[in-house]
Amino acid sequence: MRCTVFGTGYLGATHAACMAELGHEVLGVDIDEGKIAKLASGEVPFYEPGLADTLRRNLDSGRLRFTTSYAEAAAFADLHFLGVGTPQKKGEYGADLRHVHAVVDALAPLLDRPAVIVGKSTVPVGTAAELAVRASGLAPAGDAVEVAWNPEFLREGHAVVDTLRPDRVVVGVDPTRDGRAEALLRELYADLIAAEVPFLLTDLPTAELVKVSANAFLATKISFINAISEVCEAAGADVGALADALGHDARIGRRFLGAGLGFGGGCLPKDIRAFMARAGELGANQALMFLREVDSINMRRRTKMVELATRAVGGSLLGSTVAVLGAAFKPDSDDVRDSPALNVAGMLQLHGATVTVYDPKAMDNSRRLFPTLTYATTAIEACDGADAVLLATEWDEFRSLEPADLDGVVRSRVIVDGRRCLAADRWRAAGWTYFALGSKADGNERANRTGRVITPAGN
Ligand SMILES: NC(=O)c1ccc[n+]([C@@H]2O[C@H](COP(=O)([O-])OP(=O)(O)OC[C@H]3O[C@@H](n4cnc5c(N)ncnc54)[C@H](O)[C@@H]3O)[C@@H](O)[C@H]2O)c1
Ligand SMILES: O=c1ccn([C@@H]2O[C@H](COP(=O)(O)OP(=O)(O)O[C@H]3O[C@H](CO)[C@@H](O)[C@H](O)[C@H]3O)[C@@H](O)[C@H]2O)c(=O)[nH]1
């Protein structure tokens, strides 16, 4: 069958390529001409493992095309996915829906046949119902234009697999309608349904809420372990061993109990804030108060990392040289939106450190966002002359670093593991001072480059 996808960013480009992979004819639409030109020539404008192959295979098959023309898109299909950004409003918690509105306002007047607009963007509950009124009011086909919601749960770095084999497909429809939207989406996802991916049909507000509730839960789980991490640091316990023990309880599970620098990216931080804002608008202010704490715990990890770095260089960042390994908000992505790594790098610089950053894939995006930081072309180059090395994003390339790789490169053999992904014993055995968020401080702290003594402390 045919469909369009409006917005060809991390979500939309993946969805378009994967729908074509399922055998459908797909037209991706974006207002960014450069992005569309790249996609049309087989180039993915961002880093996502496996996506380039899927894109090229489906461009070659002729099933996948890209355009900036809304008129072409309206003529092409009667099933239109909406995957544009819903960022946090400037200076407010709420979601900025201007891109979502722009799509509907430009597309609906072109819809002169029955059509279904299917939202995939993450939106405040109530948006779908509002868009349904907006679309049918603007469309020549009137009420024959319907809105459904099919929230997306893919993770960056695993986007292709998550789209082709999701844990579930959630479809929200208006129950007063004739079932056309459900039928179209069942047909579109027939291969997934045949592979026993649960297809969960709900009303519109429930589908919208499933998405933000899932992200709120994930964020809460991460902040839970990071709150416990603070207690571990104070008590001299080890949060990694604690999380392993907790995770054996099947009711809890080990996933998303990774303590460290906390969550960032284009989703969890802005989604929990928009969820709080929307609950407030609905008069349910009290309900999500805990998410404020989830957010604060998360942001505290970043300042905690700066404190640890300060200790690691001997008490003052002023005049120090710090290497930051990692800039993306997570490994296997080049996304630097609300990246804890870059946030920390920026704070270190504000405190007077000379900061050199290296990331395997996110260098261009980082330079655009933080042009005043220094960037290296390899991890080793970033560590040249460093008083401390900070590991901020757990790329495999950094996990597999050996202490010997950096001996003779750094000025002081001091490492701060913000993602708890290095073997502490190996680094200590090699004579390094090893700090990690969520553990008692290194017992072998010692005089560093300036002869300043870093005192062993309990956190
Ligand atoms: N990134 C993810 O992993 C992910 C996963 C699930 C859900 N989401 C949600 O999906 C939505 C998109 O996120 P993203 O990360 O892909 O954002 P993004 O910024 O990477 O992509 C958005 C795209 O929309 C395009 N766009 C803006 N206005 C447009 C218009 N009027 N017409 C056509 N295209 C337009 C932009 O040019 C851009 O290419 C957000 O609501 C996000 O919360 C994202
Ligand atoms: O145990 C963990 C797991 C993750 N993180 C951090 O949490 C953030 C988010 O990670 P992840 O959820 O894997 O990445 P996203 O690609 O942002 O995916 C989330 O946000 C998407 C957009 O809404 C959803 O579709 C996904 O289901 C949801 O996992 C990253 O900074 C991670 O470093 C931790 O600190 N500890």
Side-chain angles (χ1 to χ4, degrees), residues 118-348:
V118 185
K120 287 203 81 67
S121 302
T122 304
V123 292
V125 59
T127 303
E130 181 226 320
L131 293 182
V133 173
R134 202 169 177 126
S136 56
L138 290 168
D143 279 354
V145 173
E146 187 181 344
V147 170
W149 220 262
N150 170 215
E152 179 55 62
F153 301 95
L154 69 80
R155 299 159 298 164
E156 289 180 22
H158 305 265
V160 174
V161 171
D162 284 353
T163 306
L164 292 174
R165 281 294 171 271
D167 289 342
R168 75 296 210 189
V169 171
V170 174
V171 169
V173 296
D174 177 348
T176 66
R177 308 282 306 205
D178 61 4
R180 174 179 155 85
E182 179 193 348
L184 282 175
L185 287 163
R186 280 192 187 276
E187 190 184 338
L188 185 89
Y189 293 127
D191 283 4
L192 275 52
I193 295 167
E196 299 194 348
V197 172
F199 183 95
L200 307 169
L201 190 69
T202 70
D203 56 27
L204 293 170
T206 305
E208 293 168 312
L209 277 174
V210 170
K211 172 64 198 175
V212 285
S213 305
N215 277 1
F217 189 86
L218 294 171
T220 303
K221 201 168 176 189
I222 298 168
S223 277
F224 170 81
I225 199 64
N226 279 331
I228 300 298
S229 181
E230 290 184 17
V231 182
C232 285
E233 287 155 12
D238 184 272
V239 75
L242 180 146
D244 288 342
L246 280 184
H248 279 290
D249 187 327
R251 295 169 303 173
I252 298 173
R254 181 64 174 84
R255 295 175 75 185
F256 273 71
L257 285 182
L261 198 39
F263 59 81
C267 292
L268 299 191
K270 64 123 171 118
D271 288 348
I272 60 169
R273 291 170 196 153
F275 198 8
M276 282 186 267
R278 185 64 183 137
E281 286 168 8
L282 292 168
N285 309 50
Q286 292 293 317
L288 300 182
M289 289 290 268
F290 73 97
L291 287 179
R292 200 172 280 273
E293 196 52 36
V294 165
D295 202 2
S296 322
I297 293 165
N298 190 52
M299 297 311 282
R300 260 200 322 267
R301 301 315 288 166
R302 303 179 187 190
T303 44
K304 181 80 194 171
M305 184 79 174
V306 173
E307 283 165 31
L308 214 47
T310 309
R311 286 236 316 272
V313 299
S316 169
L317 287 162
L318 197 62
S320 68
T321 301
V322 180
V324 174
L325 300 184
F329 83 105
K330 66 186 282 192
D332 299 319
S333 172
D334 66 354
D335 195 345
V336 297
R337 288 178 287 187
D338 203 351
S339 166
L342 280 182
N343 195 176
V344 165
M347 286 195 270
L348 294 172

